[in-house]
Amino acid sequence: MKNKKAITFFVAILASLLVLAGCGSDGDDSSSNGNSSSGDSKTVKFMHLWPEGSSKTHNEIVSEIIADFESQHEGVEIELEVLSNEQYKDKIQVLSTSDELPDVGMTWAAGYLQPYVEGNKFAPLDDLLDGDLKDQFVSGTAEAYAIDGSTYGLPLELNIATVFYNKAIFDEYGLEAPETYEELTDVIQTLNDNGVNPIALGNKDRWTGSLWYMYLADRIGGSDVLTNAINRSGSFEDPALVEAANKVQELVEMDAFVNGFNGLADEEAKSMFMNEQAAMYLIATWDLPNYTTNEDVPQEFRDSVGYFNFPTVDGNGDTNSFVGGPGVGLFVAENSDVKDEAKAFASFFVEQWGEKSVTQAGVIPATKLDAESLELPQMYVDVLEDLNSASNLTLFADVQMSPDTAQVHLDMIQAIFGMEVTPEEFAKEHEDALSAEE
Amino acid sequence: MNKVMSNKWIIALYVLPALLLIGILIFIPLILTGYYGLMDWDGVGAMEFIGLDNYIAALQDLKFWDSAWHSFLLAIFSTLSLGIYLAISLILASKIKGADLLRKIYLIPMLLSSVAIAQLWIKVYNPSNGMLNYLLMAIGVENPPAWLADTSIVLYAIFIPILWQYAGFYILIYYAALKNIPESIIEAARIDGASPFQIAYRIKLPLIMSVVKVTIVLAVVGSLKYFDLIYVMTGGGPNGASEVMASYMYKLAFTSKDFGYGSAIGFLLLIITLIVTVIVRKATATKEEIQY
């Protein structure tokens, strides 16, 4: 009996030890980390959001760059962690609260960046931008990562929104790419008369509808009107911004968008466009591979896709003014133990990324490129040329705004498209939210 | 062994690991959530103590009350649907042919992950290519609704997969409870000339009443804190039409980056759920416990 008691004791202690060990693993991690940074080889932790499954080519390029970096920098090791987009966002947030951010990681511009910069989590990278990376970026991209004069992120991608359209459908009904709003409404009318969905829109995601609104605002009121309303040098109740909301409802009323767009995800809208169920689709250039190089998409469809810049409205607007912005960029953690190495890696990454990303993954990089010297599909060359002649780049509205106001904006976008509010109410809700933050 | 189990220290030792886990994973975070609710905090930077401002703001927040109303609607529908599950279980338990197979079929939705169910029903509800609208158009409905886009329908459209998802779970519980009723009681009733309906209503139902009460609490609490399908299928949209308390909390904390306010909503959600649970338990309490 005594023996049995001892065994019971032993098992119970073992069980509690297991529990304690589970809780304590955190401590082990940090101690081993300390060892490695004090020794000869330094470890730079790097987290990105392109898992092999969903972003294969991106993932491969990253691996190549890391291998190159490690071979050129003896004694520096890159420790990699890969998560998919949403999980990445959640994890970064949690890590930052416990001050365990990776040395180098990915961030988004402007509004997303703000709390991290104010919380002193990201390191300013001005020394890189004045040094190795001077004049490397397309203008307007690195600036999107600047807060109070310092830049905290190195942009990797640049996306501009354009209207992709199905040339085969357009030809069938004798239509041409519209250059004015009137021509656009004519196209929509003709397509509707023939039972073709004019525009694929997945407004469950809300930023998709925001693109339409932003372009209408840009064409009606000029490239500054929305930006000024957001940075408070103007007002959201500007007539142009109200009129843009009005135009949105005009389009909704004439059934310009596919049925039930407010409940569709962008992916569903995209699949409607790609299955030739809708003739037009406003999306940013991250979708270019689908219409050029992606072998999974039928060649016939890829050949039939063209794009046009958003039309002018009532004779106003500059078709070379774009809505867009840098996608993800790299940050370096402020409290990193290996900040110099981390910065060197980030800088190296950006330099290598430019050409590799466009030729291998079909990403438009934020760094300047010579389109002529690269072998690229025609649509890429066109887009890169458009970028060179761009008169303005307006950053996505939900990125420009603080996270709080962005929610108001996005909810209002669904409401205005869903005819739940009037253009005036739409503008007023924005104005209230923006002025509450001042 | 009896001697071991009567030693209080040993009992404490055995309970300790579980207690530690529950404490660390549930109770401490609960208290912390209430505490964060007193802060102005974006989840990244420094916290600032603002007293009860977040809680007061939440109580005046129409969007919060809208989402609370949606949660309550879900609770009401889940509770009502328990009646249907009970009826199905009664039929299944009455030795009909293929009851075993049917029981397994009813259980399938419970085995699927919420995300898979959400994706499935997104496809079903797709306004242009979805199965549902295809059927409706085939039988001559000209303008079938855009289920997930119409603000007046979307909430109910999501309730259906939620109820469908949990049907198997409740049917399983009722079925097990019904199977537990001694055959002799049913037989005695039958000899006394009770009809099948009388047996179900007067004998079986009272005998499993305690189980029914538990399922009511489960359904109500589960509905009030429900999150998954709503998050995946509509994200609470369009414009908040399908927002429930938990999805609103998530949105505030993780999308609007307002952790203080989100925590306050989370804590209110806990309090509301507790109050409702107490009310439901009081309302369904009876003095006599039937023994058999």
Side-chain angles (χ1 to χ4, degrees), chain B:
Chain B
M1 207 61 200
N2 269 338
K3 213 170 149 197
V4 174
M5 281 319 218
S6 60
N7 183 335
K8 291 212 170 68
W9 288 107
I10 298 285
I11 296 173
L13 198 62
Y14 272 116
V15 171
L16 190 68
L19 189 71
L20 272 179
L21 274 182
I22 290 184
I24 292 168
L25 296 178
I26 297 179
F27 289 110
I28 294 176
L30 270 186
I31 296 163
L32 280 179
T33 306
Y35 168 74
Y36 291 148
L38 302 171
M39 300 289 167
D40 182 18
W41 184 34
D42 58 15
V44 179
M47 288 188 214
E48 189 194 335
F49 184 80
I50 52 164
L52 287 171
D53 284 8
N54 279 330
Y55 292 95
I56 294 166
L59 292 177
Q60 295 167 342
D61 184 349
L62 285 180
K63 280 190 171 177
F64 171 66
W65 289 113
D66 272 348
S67 66
W69 167 239
H70 297 154
S71 293
F72 275 104
L73 271 180
L74 177 59
I76 292 167
F77 276 90
S78 319
T79 313
L80 291 180
S81 61
L82 288 179
I84 302 170
Y85 307 149
L86 190 57
I88 293 173
S89 316
L90 280 167
I91 296 168
L92 281 181
S94 64
K95 289 183 187 146
I96 59 159
K97 240 186 187 171
D100 226 32
L101 179 69
L102 284 172
R103 200 163 43 91
K104 286 184 181 111
I105 291 173
Y106 287 129
L107 201 61
I108 288 175
M110 217 185 88
L111 306 177
L112 299 174
S113 84
S114 291
V115 178
I117 292 178
Q119 291 300 337
L120 178 72
W121 283 84
I122 286 174
K123 301 278 182 301
V124 170
Y125 281 139
N126 187 304
S128 328
N129 303 325
M131 189 160 59
L132 184 60
N133 278 3
Y134 188 77
L135 278 176
L136 286 176
M137 283 196 273
I139 59 169
V141 180
E142 271 193 24
N143 273 315
W147 300 97
L148 297 179
D150 190 325
T151 46
S152 55
I153 304 178
V154 57
L155 193 61
Y156 304 99
I158 296 194
F159 283 175
I160 290 171
I162 296 177
L163 299 181
W164 178 77
Q165 176 182 17
Y166 285 105
F169 174 67
Y170 291 113
I171 289 174
L172 191 72
I173 292 182
Y174 289 147
Y175 180 82
L178 288 168
K179 278 287 165 194
N180 248 341
I181 299 173
E183 196 61 24
S184 54
I185 299 179
I186 311 290
E187 220 142 276
R190 206 170 285 140
I191 291 167
D192 285 344
S195 69
F197 182 74
Q198 277 174 321
I199 292 178
Y201 190 68
R202 299 272 164 126
I203 312 257
K204 287 182 175 171
L205 203 55
L207 281 175
I208 63 161
M209 213 50 210
S210 57
V211 174
V212 173
K213 281 176 208 160
V214 172
T215 55
I216 291 176
V217 174
L218 280 179
V220 169
V221 173
S223 307
L224 289 181
K225 60 178 187 150
Y226 196 77
F227 176 75
D228 350 6
L229 281 195
I230 296 204
Y231 176 69
V232 184
M233 285 178 74
T234 61
N239 192 23
S242 61
E243 201 87 84
V244 291
M245 283 192 282
S247 65
Y248 189 52
M249 169 187 79
Y250 178 88
K251 203 180 247 179
L252 285 172
F254 287 92
T255 323
S256 299
K257 292 286 161 59
D258 200 342
F259 259 73
Y261 194 33
S263 302
I265 299 265
F267 202 66
L268 285 178
L269 167 61
L270 171 75
I271 292 171
I272 291 174
T273 315
L274 273 178
I275 293 172
V276 172
T277 313
V278 170
I279 293 174
V280 170
R281 294 212 61 131
K282 279 261 154 68
T284 56
T286 42
K287 279 177 208 136
E288 35 174 334
E289 277 296 310
I290 298 162
Q291 297 281 334
Y292 51 84

Side-chain angles (χ1 to χ4, degrees), chain A residues 4 7 12 47 50 68 86 92 95 105 148 157 166 237 274 281 310 360 383 423:
Chain A
K4 243 184 187 169
I7 290 172
M47 234 167 108
W50 294 312
D68 287 351
E86 292 307 310
I92 281 287
L95 288 179
D148 296 333
E157 306 165 326
N166 190 319
E237 287 174 293
M274 300 199 32
Y281 178 47
F310 201 91
Q360 292 177 32
V383 168

Side-chain angles (χ1 to χ4, degrees), chain A residues 1 8 97 204 277 407 414, chain B residues 1 14 43 129 233 239 255:
Chain A
M1 203 59 204
T8 324
T97 54
K204 182 173 108 181
Q277 289 182 322
Q407 285 311 305
Q414 265 187 337
Chain B
M1 207 61 200
Y14 272 116
N129 303 325
M233 285 178 74
N239 192 23
T255 323

Side-chain angles (χ1 to χ4, degrees), chain A residues 318-376:
Chain A
D318 172 3
T319 51
N320 279 329
S321 170
F322 291 97
V323 168
V328 293
L330 293 176
F331 72 79
V332 172
E334 175 68 24
N335 67 351
S336 163
D337 297 334
V338 285
K339 216 175 194 173
D340 291 337
E341 286 75 15
K343 279 187 178 174
F345 175 65
S347 165
F348 182 83
F349 192 103
V350 169
E351 280 170 25
Q352 298 288 309
W353 174 258
E355 204 177 304
K356 280 192 164 131
S357 65
V358 69
T359 48
Q360 292 177 32
V363 174
I364 305 282
T367 35
K368 287 177 187 162
L369 278 182
D370 182 10
E372 298 291 312
S373 68
L374 301 169
E375 249 182 61
L376 287 170

